[in-house]
Every structure is written in C-alpha cells, then in structure tokens.
Amino acid sequence: MDKEPLTLLKDSVLALPDSQRKVANYIINHPTDVAFMTVDQLSSNVGTSTTTVMRLMANIGYSGYSEFQKNHQQMLREQASPQTRLEANLKSHNQSQSWTHYMERQLESIQQTATLNTEAMLNQAIEFIVSSNHIYTTSVRSGLPVAQYLVHNLNRLVGNAKFNLADSSDWVDDAVGMTKDDLLIVVSYSRYGKRIIDYARVAKEQEAKVIAITDSYSSPVVPYADLVLPCHSLGIASHNTIVPTMFMVDYLISAIALNYPNLTKDRLKDVNSILLSMNYHKE
C-alpha cells in the first residue's frame, strides 16, 4: 500500500459506520499502544467486538488486523531515528511545562507497560531465572543500563548471572557452551542492534531459553524468544527512555528476593560479610 496505516484511517474515518469509526479514532489517538495490542485487547479497550475491528481492517484495504499491525509497526520503526523523534517532539514542546509533561508521559508509559505484561508473563520470567543454571544478559547502547542493573542484582541474589556486551565478540565464547538449562535475557530497542539479534539466534540454536525485553512484537529478536516482555520506550526528546523497563526489571528483582528467600538470603549474608571484612562501606 502507498499510504501509511494511520493515513488510511484518517482519510476513511468519516465514511465509516459509527462502530468502526470508534475503533479508528482509538487507533489514531493511541498509535504506540496499538502497535503492541492483540485484536482482543484492542476490541476490549474500545468496547466493541473483534468482528468490528476486522471489518474496519477490510474497509481500509487490509486482509486482517495482523497485516495492519505489521505495517503500522514498520511505520513506527521508520519514524524512530533520533532526529525524527526530536523534530516531532519539538512541535509539541512547551518549556514551561517540561517537567510536568515529562512526569505525565513516563507515568503513562509505566502504566501501559504494566498493562501489557501480565502477572502470568512476569511469573514465567521469574521461573526462567530461578531455574536456570547460567543467566546471561545482553544489550547495546540505550539498553545497556537496564541489562547491567538486572545482571548486577541477579548476581547478588543467585550468583550465576553474567553481562555480555553484544557488540563485543566475547559472548561467543559463552554462547557455544549454552544448553537448554541456560537463559539469555536480551534488552533491545529500536533501532535494533544487529549483534543482539545474532546473540539471540545463537542462544536459541544452542537450545537456551531467551527472554526478549523489547519495545515491539515486531522487534527482530522476537522470533528467537521464548518469552517477550514488551516495554514502551518512546521518550519526550530524541532518545529511548528506559524508565518503564527499569520499573518492570526492578519488580522482577524484588519478586525473586521476596519469593525465594531460601535461594537468596544466605548469599546476601555472605556477600555482606565479605564487604564488612574489607571495610568497603564508609561508616
């Protein structure tokens, strides 16, 4: 199709039946959210049926919701370069409201991320972590702080976690020894680093489990993932924001510490004992 999905909706909205117009308006007003939603989630949020959503897709020329969403996600990726984001955000920027606007946007992103990641999904991630022999985390660029924070705390709690920078080839030495009892946690945002995808692919070939913490179900790491944890990452300027992801990751760390005390208490005690013996902390 020549036109972008949102443009098709905007051009068609006035000619649509009322029920379909309601869906179209929701998509137009929540473009980033819809990129992550299933057709059931979309119809539930709008308060209509999946049949209405599918009829809307047919009316604007798509074979179904999946085709529309794929094209929509591609459009969002193409708009994701830092300079494009900055130019778009400058149009709505009001310096006097910067702090308030920032807080509102981040709170919305956290809430949306929380909605997308169900209790069952997070429990599965925790189960993968506590049952794995070795845990590896990886990322590049904007995702680095998330992966490093996660592995630092996991290693303190369970002692078998390691961070590998995807842009370095050192991860290959670990990947060749991966088994079905190991876990790779990938943090990847648009525009996705190629070496992250390579790492996820190799880990999957070694039959390791893979958790993808990423911003879209169309992310190129998703085909290699056993579990996808979607997180909003669109900031108010030019960069990927990690705030919603850090919120979710911090929950995983806290849940493991609280729900598996027999696994974590002794190790935390031993770590603290060594630090005290070194007078590591300033009194």
Side-chain angles (χ1 to χ4, degrees):
M1 291 185 180
D2 294 331
K3 289 187 177 181
E4 295 174 346
L6 292 184
T7 302
L8 284 170
L9 283 172
K10 291 173 182 177
D11 289 350
S12 306
V13 69
L14 293 178
L16 294 170
D18 287 344
S19 58
Q20 294 178 33
R21 187 183 306 165
K22 189 177 178 182
V23 179
N25 284 328
Y26 184 91
I27 295 172
I28 292 167
N29 291 324
H30 303 83
T32 305
D33 300 349
V34 172
F36 296 93
M37 289 179 185
T38 64
V39 65
D40 290 330
Q41 289 172 326
L42 175 58
S43 60
S44 176
N45 283 5
V46 176
T48 190
S49 66
T50 57
T51 301
T52 298
V53 175
M54 299 307 289
R55 285 173 178 165
L56 169 63
M57 297 300 117
N59 275 342
I60 62 172
Y62 287 97
S63 60
Y65 179 72
S66 295
E67 184 189 11
F68 167 85
Q69 190 175 53
K70 182 179 179 180
N71 287 357
H72 178 50
Q73 289 168 343
Q74 179 63 33
M75 180 200 72
L76 292 180
R77 281 203 305 274
E78 291 172 354
Q79 294 178 344
S81 66
Q83 66 271 23
T84 301
R85 291 189 198 178
L86 183 59
E87 289 169 4
N89 287 322
L90 281 172
K91 294 177 181 177
S92 60
H93 176 63
N94 184 329
Q95 191 170 5
S96 66
Q97 297 177 341
S98 292
W99 177 233
T100 302
H101 178 56
Y102 171 79
M103 287 191 296
E104 290 172 349
R105 282 284 298 271
Q106 292 292 8
L107 289 171
E108 288 173 5
S109 293
I110 289 171
Q111 181 59 58
Q112 291 160 356
T113 297
T115 301
L116 291 168
N117 291 278
T118 65
E119 193 88 19
M121 292 163 64
L122 296 173
N123 286 341
Q124 186 176 7
I126 292 168
E127 176 59 29
F128 281 177
I129 290 169
V130 299
S131 64
S132 295
N133 283 345
H134 301 95
I135 303 163
Y136 301 94
T137 72
T138 191
S139 191
V140 296
R141 298 175 68 82
S142 60
L144 279 176
V146 178
Q148 290 169 330
Y149 179 75
L150 177 59
V151 78
H152 167 71
N153 284 280
L154 288 181
N155 206 40
R156 289 188 66 198
L157 291 173
V158 295
N160 58 353
K162 180 179 180 180
F163 171 78
N164 280 320
L165 180 66
D167 278 342
S168 168
S169 62
D170 291 348
W171 60 261
V172 175
D173 299 316
D174 291 318
V176 294
M178 281 183 169
T179 72
K180 61 182 178 61
D181 298 316
D182 296 328
L183 171 67
L184 174 66
I185 303 175
V186 174
V187 182
S188 180
Y189 304 118
S190 177
R191 299 174 291 172
Y192 316 97
K194 185 179 183 303
R195 289 293 172 260
I196 293 180
I197 304 163
D198 291 334
Y199 197 172
R201 174 182 55 79
V202 172
K204 206 64 208 145
E205 289 171 353
Q206 297 296 110
E207 299 185 348
K209 295 183 183 69
V210 178
I211 296 176
I213 300 175
T214 189
D215 56 359
S216 169
Y217 280 106
S218 65
S219 165
V221 301
V222 167
Y224 306 107
D226 297 278
L227 175 64
V228 179
L229 301 179
C231 293
H232 282 256
S233 67
L234 293 178
I236 66 168
S238 61
H239 61 289
N240 289 318
T241 179
I242 63 171
V243 173
T245 313
M246 290 292 273
F247 182 85
M248 186 190 70
V249 161
D250 194 70
Y251 167 76
L252 294 176
I253 294 164
S254 300
I256 290 168
L258 293 171
N259 295 334
Y260 295 86
N262 293 335
L263 187 66
T264 61
K265 274 198 312 183
D266 289 343
R267 180 172 175 82
L268 287 173
K269 181 180 178 181
D270 290 343
V271 168
N272 187 58
S273 177
I274 293 172
L275 291 174
L276 288 174
S277 72
M278 297 165 54
N279 293 319
Y280 182 82
H281 299 289
K282 180 176 174 60
E283 295 296 335

